[in-house]
Amino acid sequence: MRRKIVAGNWKMNKNVIDAQQLMIQLLSYKNDNNTNCEIWIAPPSLYLMMAKDIFEKEEIGVFSQDMSEFESGAYTGELSADMLESIDVNGSLIGHSERRQYHGENDESCNKKVKLALDKGLIPIYCNGETLEQRKAGQHLDVVKTQTETALFTLSAEEIKKVVIAYEPVWAIGTGETASPEQAQEIHAHIRGIIAEKYGQEVADEVSILYGGSVKPDNAKEIFSQPDIDGGLIGGAALKLEDFSKIIEGFN
């Protein structure tokens, strides 16, 4: 049975007071409601230890927004897998489209990060997806195939089952555009098929694949009802409990 997950990526938002308030609200919501999915958040790194303190009973997963491909050393501003493991965070986003766009990340560096995260017992949320230009050129299936193979196919079958994949159509992030449920399902099924070709259908059926393209309260239920979509990686809508909770309830 694949994990059903709604994960909130807070990006570079919230001061410490507002972040704490949202965490407390989210915990209260989780305790007061029967949810049919796991709830994860990726707050700014400054707030990771606070999040672990607030969610001390593991009701809500805590993830960093990035981690270094290096174990340690003179890499100013970076977070190592050992640092994250030492404060008991659950894992890290890896290869988010904004890290690729603004910080030059590529699938080779993502591969190193994924392997390092797994070696340290962390859950990697590996992000991939095509740009608008690639989609218009009909290259989206090939782009996602190359990204998936380069970043993940050095893993063993047991390792890849521990990876969560987040498909992000880059053209639908922060633009208000959303891939139709059918478009999203096509790519999710495509990714699962690529994994099945390499590792077998049984392994592929255990990999959770999240949709990361402007999920909103009014489309969550339809998107999550698609057979190969196992949840969402939520951006802006994760910053307000009212919106985030309605997306979580898309699994009800």
Side-chain angles (χ1 to χ4, degrees):
M1 199 61 182
R2 292 197 297 271
R3 306 169 86 153
K4 303 298 184 183
I5 302 157
V6 173
N9 176 15
W10 291 11
K11 306 189 181 183
M12 195 176 71
N13 292 292
K14 302 286 184 187
N15 64 36
V16 66
I17 301 300
D18 292 341
Q20 182 184 49
Q21 183 179 33
L22 181 54
M23 289 176 195
I24 291 170
Q25 290 174 341
L26 188 56
L27 179 60
S28 177
Y29 170 80
K30 176 70 169 64
N31 289 338
D32 290 344
N33 294 274
N34 292 320
T35 57
N36 293 323
C37 63
E38 296 181 48
I39 301 171
W40 296 353
I41 65 165
S45 57
L46 189 64
Y47 308 147
L48 288 171
M49 291 185 70
M50 179 173 71
K52 288 305 299 183
D53 287 341
I54 291 172
F55 306 138
E56 58 181 335
K57 295 181 182 177
E58 300 289 337
E59 296 96 337
I60 293 170
V62 178
F63 287 71
S64 65
Q65 296 179 10
D66 186 38
M67 56 166 270
S68 176
E69 67 187 83
F70 303 104
E71 289 209 35
S72 63
Y75 302 103
T76 300
E78 294 285 338
L79 292 175
S80 74
D82 275 332
M83 292 173 187
L84 298 175
E85 189 274 333
S86 72
I87 61 169
D88 291 328
V89 301
N90 300 83
S92 180
L93 297 178
I94 291 173
H96 189 277
S97 59
E98 289 155 10
R99 298 293 308 175
R100 294 173 186 265
Q101 181 179 356
Y102 303 128
H103 300 278
E105 295 217 3
N106 57 40
D107 294 310
E108 288 76 13
S109 64
C110 288
N111 173 256
K112 295 175 184 176
K113 293 183 181 188
V114 167
K115 289 182 68 67
L116 189 54
L118 291 169
D119 287 346
K120 302 297 181 178
L122 301 172
I123 300 170
I125 305 176
Y126 169 66
C127 305
N128 62 7
E130 80 282 4
T131 64
L132 181 60
E133 292 73 23
Q134 291 166 334
R135 162 75 61 166
K136 284 183 173 178
Q139 299 169 344
H140 49 290
L141 297 180
D142 289 337
V143 168
V144 171
K145 184 175 191 289
T146 298
Q147 290 173 330
T148 303
E149 291 177 344
T150 304
L152 302 181
F153 277 14
T154 60
L155 304 179
S156 69
E158 285 307 307
E159 286 175 326
I160 201 166
K161 288 192 286 188
K162 298 174 183 175
V163 176
V164 173
I165 297 172
Y167 164 64
E168 307 178 294
V170 179
W171 48 274
I173 299 173
T175 63
E177 296 291 329
T178 308
S180 69
E182 293 75 23
Q183 286 174 316
Q185 165 59 22
E186 177 192 30
I187 297 283
H188 281 240
H190 177 59
I191 293 170
R192 202 176 306 285
I194 295 165
I195 296 170
E197 287 176 13
K198 169 78 171 177
Y199 296 97
Q201 193 64 49
E202 187 175 338
V203 171
D205 284 341
E206 290 193 42
V207 178
S208 292
I209 308 176
L210 312 182
Y211 175 65
S214 295
V215 179
K216 303 180 183 70
D218 60 0
N219 65 15
K221 192 173 188 69
E222 187 177 9
I223 289 172
F224 295 164
S225 69
Q226 301 299 311
D228 287 291
I229 298 179
D230 303 307
L233 177 60
I234 316 302
L239 298 173
K240 294 181 180 178
L241 180 65
E242 181 182 2
D243 292 339
F244 196 49
S245 61
K246 288 177 181 174
I247 291 172
I248 291 165
E249 288 159 11
F251 275 115
N252 291 353

